[in-house]
Amino acid sequence: MTFERSFMNFVQILSEEETTPEISPSALADVGKEYALRSIVCIVSSLKESDSSSEPDVIIPLFGPVPENEPPAYLFKNTLNGRKTVTFHVYLRDNKTWNEEEYQSFAIVIDILMIHTERFLLGKVVKDSALTQYLTGLPNSGGFIAYATRLCESGEIMNYDSFFFNLKSYGLISRRYGLSEGDEIMKRYAKKLREFCQQDEIVAHFGGDNYTALIKKERTKAFLKYISAVPVYGIKNDKKEDLKVAAVTGVYAVDESLKEPGQLISRAAMALSYAKNVANKPYVFVNKAMSTRIYRQKQIEDRYEEALSSDEFRIYLQPKVDIFTGEIVGAESLTRWFCNGVVLYPTEFVPILEQEGMVASLDLYVLRKTCEFIKNWENKGLEPVQVSVNFSRRDLNYKNLAKEIVTIIDESGVDRSLLQIEVTETASEDERLLMTSFLKALKDKGIDTAIDDFGTGYSSLSNLRDFPVTMIKIDRSFISNESIENSNNDEIVLRNIINLAKELNIKVLTEGVERVEQVELLKKVDCHFVQGFLYDNPMPEQEFQKRLIEKKA
């Protein structure tokens, strides 16, 4: 076969597919015979000045085996994208060499082969970039999932632990060094993480300061220690400053409960959230209780809107009592969620609704139902008592809240004096300002207000002066002490709070009354109004109607 014919076959075969490494042995078969080819190996290297200079060389066999520790007969080199060098190592059979004419004609073969190989490499770069974080060059979430999927399919994933971690105080680093140098520090940090990982491990960057990793179980302790203080440096005013970057980490020790690769991220992220927001620790491992809690939280979030529209929330009423007469002087509306045959109490769902910014709709729902109860009592000829409704401090950011409360009460046809709005005392100065404005708006509309859990917030006595309220509800902790010394101190504090409140024309009610001796203490300090299990549990509205008729708890 002539060179022209074998060359045309070579060009035609290479042009048929874009997978150059796979088809090049066939393309070079005829040409190889004429030029005594034994092997051609393509080696892709990163230039020293490039961002990827630390990456290992990529070896791509194009024809024949890869010789070990043997110098090539000929080298052909080119630069790809200004970042990488592509070198073709050519090995010949039987120590053959080419004359000048053979060298020049084969150089044309190499030029064609190089064009197709570089096209293949550029296509691979484009494909890989979709799986790579642009700043650090680490795999992104897609790259992580792709790698994890392969481990899951092979069953090797059981040998790994999954990590999700954030960098501590990275915002301070960025402010100190500026955004540009902050990016460079992030690149150096990523390089350090890559250096720690073994060939069959992965660390990925999801953007910002969010990282994830799959590390062999036997190296978990070493990895946690490593990311607790990764040494990098920053440059400020042309001076190099050493610093250590620490991380807060969630760890999922992969087990048989893993169903799909995404859980490697979600479970480790769940532990990270727990480490940051609950445990305040540098790292936390996923445990069963945590998983149950998160699952429960998601159930509540997903079911809430439907439950509200389906009237799954029931309103219970707990009487407020005058301990000197035994008369019912009021009540508090409390909510229970009847969810798929299970009763959920406010402590289970209210914090979650507050966290997700959903609690205002529930508080307004309770207010509407309470107004319906009062109107129903009036229609039946019963003398109603004032009923209080709790509103979360999170509701205070809703600027039209006071207006909406007034609208709901007025539309129900109930007198405003029969409703009282309770808000829990706050320790936040920002919330104090919002609360003062909210309470004043209600007072101006003739609606009574109360501070719940009084004594647990900051500067409680100044709240008596600043908050326009008609009642304070003293927290149960003031009457729960068992020791005589503490009980004596509580009595002194209670008496002074009650006397001060009376002088300010503010009523006082004590919560959590469960024992007779607590009643005796409250009588001594002249606190008339109480609420607690000693007198009555929260009860359905129908049951509370009987109390209204009897007027006794």
Side-chain angles (χ1 to χ4, degrees):
M1 183 180 285
T2 64
F3 171 72
E4 185 178 345
R5 181 72 180 274
S6 61
F7 180 76
M8 292 303 294
N9 284 345
F10 164 72
V11 172
Q12 184 176 344
I13 293 171
L14 275 184
S15 301
E16 288 175 353
E17 301 282 348
E18 294 187 4
T19 53
T20 305
E22 294 179 16
I23 63 173
S24 59
S26 299
L28 288 163
D30 293 333
V31 174
K33 291 174 185 177
E34 296 186 32
Y35 287 85
L37 290 180
R38 177 157 57 94
S39 297
I40 298 180
V41 179
C42 174
I43 298 181
V44 184
S45 307
S46 297
L47 294 173
K48 288 184 179 178
E49 60 271 20
S50 74
D51 293 340
S52 54
S53 59
S54 62
E55 294 178 5
D57 291 348
V58 177
I59 299 172
I60 306 172
L62 295 174
F63 183 81
V66 178
E68 291 186 18
N69 301 319
E70 180 184 340
Y74 298 95
L75 287 175
F76 298 84
K77 185 178 290 189
N78 197 15
T79 301
L80 178 66
N81 261 1
R83 298 178 62 196
K84 296 183 182 291
T85 299
V86 182
T87 307
F88 287 81
H89 294 229
V90 179
Y91 302 84
L92 303 183
R93 293 194 303 269
D94 305 324
N95 297 319
K96 181 176 170 54
T97 58
W98 295 326
N99 59 35
E100 183 63 24
E101 184 180 347
E102 288 173 321
Y103 179 86
Q104 292 298 333
S105 62
F106 194 79
I108 298 172
V109 174
I110 286 293
D111 284 344
I112 302 297
L113 186 60
M114 191 169 286
I115 289 170
H116 284 274
T117 302
E118 289 181 354
R119 183 184 67 173
F120 165 76
L121 290 171
L122 287 170
K124 189 173 184 300
V125 166
V126 172
K127 186 177 179 181
D128 289 347
S129 66
L131 303 175
T132 303
Q133 210 284 330
Y134 74 95
L135 177 66
T136 57
L138 294 176
N140 59 17
S141 58
F144 179 85
I145 288 293
Y147 187 85
T149 299
R150 292 194 293 273
L151 289 177
C152 289
E153 289 172 350
S154 68
E156 294 178 31
I157 193 65
M158 294 302 163
N159 300 323
Y160 292 80
D161 286 342
S162 179
F163 299 77
F164 199 106
F165 51 105
N166 293 156
L167 309 189
K168 281 185 181 177
S169 305
Y170 191 75
L172 296 177
I173 293 175
S174 291
R175 283 196 289 275
R176 174 168 174 74
Y177 292 97
L179 293 177
S180 179
E181 181 60 17
D183 284 349
E184 294 303 314
I185 293 170
M186 188 70 85
K187 290 178 187 177
R188 294 173 198 131
Y189 178 77
K191 183 178 178 182
K192 289 286 187 180
L193 295 178
R194 192 186 291 115
E195 289 171 358
F196 178 90
C197 289
Q198 294 180 347
Q199 191 171 359
D200 53 356
E201 296 173 333
I202 184 174
V203 60
H205 182 199
F206 288 4
D209 66 346
N210 299 304
Y211 288 82
T212 190
L214 286 172
I215 304 295
K216 290 290 187 68
K217 288 183 182 292
E218 63 269 19
R219 286 172 26 93
T220 285
K221 185 182 286 188
F223 186 64
L224 286 171
K225 183 178 180 181
Y226 184 72
I227 62 176
S228 69
V230 175
V232 292
Y233 67 87
I235 297 175
K236 187 172 177 63
N237 299 326
D238 297 324
K239 290 184 179 179
K240 182 177 175 182
E241 298 178 349
D242 292 329
L243 63 145
K244 291 188 176 180
V245 178
V248 184
T249 312
V251 190
Y252 166 47
V254 179
D255 58 18
E256 298 294 338
S257 69
L258 181 72
K259 301 300 180 189
E260 49 92 18
Q263 291 176 325
L264 295 166
I265 299 172
S266 61
R267 292 183 179 183
M270 173 180 67
L272 169 62
S273 176
Y274 194 88
K276 290 171 65 175
N277 302 318
V278 181
N280 195 27
K281 292 182 178 179
Y283 63 86
V284 166
F285 281 77
V286 172
N287 57 52
K288 188 174 181 181
M290 192 188 306
S291 299
T292 301
R293 175 179 173 179
I294 298 298
Y295 176 71
R296 187 70 154 180
Q297 179 171 332
K298 189 172 187 313
Q299 273 189 317
I300 287 171
E301 291 171 13
D302 291 346
R303 284 275 301 116
Y304 170 67
E305 294 293 345
E306 182 186 346
L308 199 61
S309 61
S310 302
D311 279 336
E312 291 182 16
F313 291 93
R314 311 279 174 79
I315 312 305
Y316 280 51
L317 297 161
Q318 185 172 32
K320 297 175 181 177
V321 181
D322 184 330
I323 57 176
F324 289 93
T325 66
E327 263 190 275
I328 292 178
V329 293
E332 179 181 1
S333 286
L334 302 165
T335 185
R336 305 285 186 263
W337 184 356
F338 286 75
C339 181
N340 297 325
V342 178
V343 180
L344 302 182
Y345 290 85
T347 51
E348 295 179 75
F349 58 83
V350 167
I352 294 168
L353 297 180
E354 286 181 328
Q355 179 181 312
E356 298 302 315
M358 304 160 79
V359 73
S361 57
L362 177 62
D363 293 341
L364 292 170
Y365 172 89
V366 175
L367 177 63
R368 286 190 188 92
K369 289 293 182 182
T370 302
C371 290
E372 289 176 14
F373 291 164
I374 296 173
K375 193 64 181 174
N376 183 45
W377 300 336
E378 290 179 333
N379 291 339
K380 288 185 175 182
L382 298 175
E383 184 181 350
V385 290
Q386 187 182 68
V387 185
S388 61
V389 177
N390 272 291
F391 275 77
S392 168
R393 291 202 302 263
R394 295 294 181 94
D395 297 341
L396 298 177
N397 293 303
Y398 179 23
K399 65 179 182 179
N400 292 319
L401 181 61
K403 184 177 179 181
E404 187 151 355
I405 288 171
V406 173
T407 299
I408 289 172
I409 295 172
D410 288 350
E411 287 180 350
S412 72
V414 171
D415 192 280
R416 295 179 186 179
S417 65
L418 291 173
L419 273 300
Q420 182 183 75
I421 304 301
E422 293 185 18
V423 186
T424 303
E425 188 177 23
T426 179
S428 161
E429 185 59 33
D430 289 340
E431 284 184 347
R432 277 172 58 84
L433 295 173
L434 286 171
M435 189 179 292
T436 302
S437 175
F438 172 67
L439 294 172
K440 185 177 185 304
L442 291 176
K443 182 182 179 182
D444 290 344
K445 296 296 183 181
I447 297 173
D448 282 357
T449 54
I451 295 295
D452 199 11
D453 299 334
F454 184 85
T456 59
Y458 175 73
S459 298
S460 293
L461 291 179
S462 68
N463 289 342
L464 283 179
R465 178 194 65 196
D466 298 336
F467 289 162
V469 295
T470 51
M471 175 178 280
I472 58 171
K473 298 181 73 174
I474 294 176
D475 186 68
R476 67 182 64 230
S477 60
F478 283 92
I479 57 170
S480 297
N481 287 315
E482 298 290 344
S483 71
I484 295 175
E485 183 180 350
N486 285 337
S487 184
N488 288 338
N489 290 339
D490 287 339
E491 182 179 336
I492 294 168
V493 172
L494 281 170
R495 180 176 284 109
N496 281 279
I497 290 174
I498 291 164
N499 288 339
L500 181 58
K502 282 181 178 178
E503 289 189 31
L504 294 170
N505 201 29
I506 296 172
K507 296 176 182 177
V508 179
L509 178 145
T510 302
E511 301 178 283
V513 176
E514 298 175 356
R515 304 191 307 271
V516 172
E517 57 267 28
Q518 292 173 330
V519 175
E520 297 306 316
L521 168 63
L522 292 170
K523 283 182 176 179
K524 282 173 67 177
V525 296
D526 201 29
C527 176
H528 278 248
F529 307 125
V530 301
Q531 187 178 338
F533 294 155
L534 180 65
Y535 289 91
D536 255 324
N537 295 331
M539 63 191 71
E541 187 264 340
Q542 290 290 331
E543 188 71 21
F544 185 77
Q545 282 191 35
K546 298 176 183 176
R547 302 291 195 275
L548 278 181
I549 294 168
E550 298 165 1
K551 300 194 178 192
K552 294 282 185 178

